[in-house]
Amino acid sequence: MDRKIVAIDMDDTLCHLLPRAIHYHNLLYPDLPLTMEQIINFDLRQIWHHECSEDIFFGRPGLYEELEIFDEYTIAEVEKIHAQHDLIIVTASRPDSVPEKWRWLQRHLPFISYENFFVAKRKYLLEFDVLIDDGPHNLLAARAAGKKTIGIPRPWNLPIQSEFVMKDSWQGMSELVNEILES
């Protein structure tokens, strides 16, 4: 049997990055509190505090290690996908965040080997059969490259949600992956 390749994003797909980054932003800048609903695209400069920067928002040491798992189904569903397919984790990352992301993976999903951990912003360039991701740019690029996708609905991908299969929980994700791969 030919094993299919399932690529899974980390941030805001396997774990919750933006809620945690917003939390720290709001602690630093209580005069301009942010909410998830305000993040309608990835250009956060328009909404975060004028003293904030990408280094401050995403560069807090230890940030990526303290992220919460997406939901109570995530680990079991990722294990099922891993048992049935070649599973790769593909994450865009600042270079200094890569070790933190790897440690997070090893704590929560220790069955993922380093050989299946990829850091790439242009994910569509990698070989995979289906991508699970929240980033609209990743979903659109994967589709344009002829790849299948499952989106995680977030405020920043609202304009394209009707164009993609979307799943707001990991419950039943392995079954959905198999349905999409068979279609």
Side-chain angles (χ1 to χ4, degrees), residues 129-178:
D129 297 291
V130 65
L131 171 68
I132 304 171
D133 205 306
D134 67 292
H137 56 290
N138 292 323
L139 296 169
L140 290 165
R143 181 177 68 188
K147 298 168 188 281
K148 297 178 181 185
T149 60
I150 299 171
I152 303 295
R154 296 294 199 205
W156 49 89
N157 63 32
L158 186 60
I160 66 162
Q161 286 179 11
S162 64
E163 300 176 38
F164 291 88
V165 172
M166 302 298 277
K167 185 116 174 71
D168 64 357
S169 169
W170 276 85
Q171 185 176 22
M173 186 68 82
S174 59
E175 289 85 9
L176 180 58
V177 165
N178 289 334

Side-chain angles (χ1 to χ4, degrees), residues 66-103:
E66 63 185 59
L67 301 180
E68 294 180 17
I69 196 86
F70 189 87
D71 65 23
E72 66 269 26
Y73 308 103
T74 307
I75 295 170
E77 290 294 320
V78 172
E79 282 181 309
K80 288 178 190 175
I81 294 168
H82 180 262
Q84 298 171 357
H85 306 287
D86 282 332
L87 172 68
I88 61 173
I89 303 299
V90 185
T91 185
S93 186
R94 304 160 48 87
D96 55 342
S97 301
V98 173
E100 291 182 15
K101 288 186 173 199
W102 175 245
R103 287 189 293 269

Side-chain angles (χ1 to χ4, degrees), residues 105-113:
L105 269 176
Q106 289 304 287
R107 185 169 64 250
H108 296 282
L109 304 166
F111 52 90
I112 304 292
S113 74

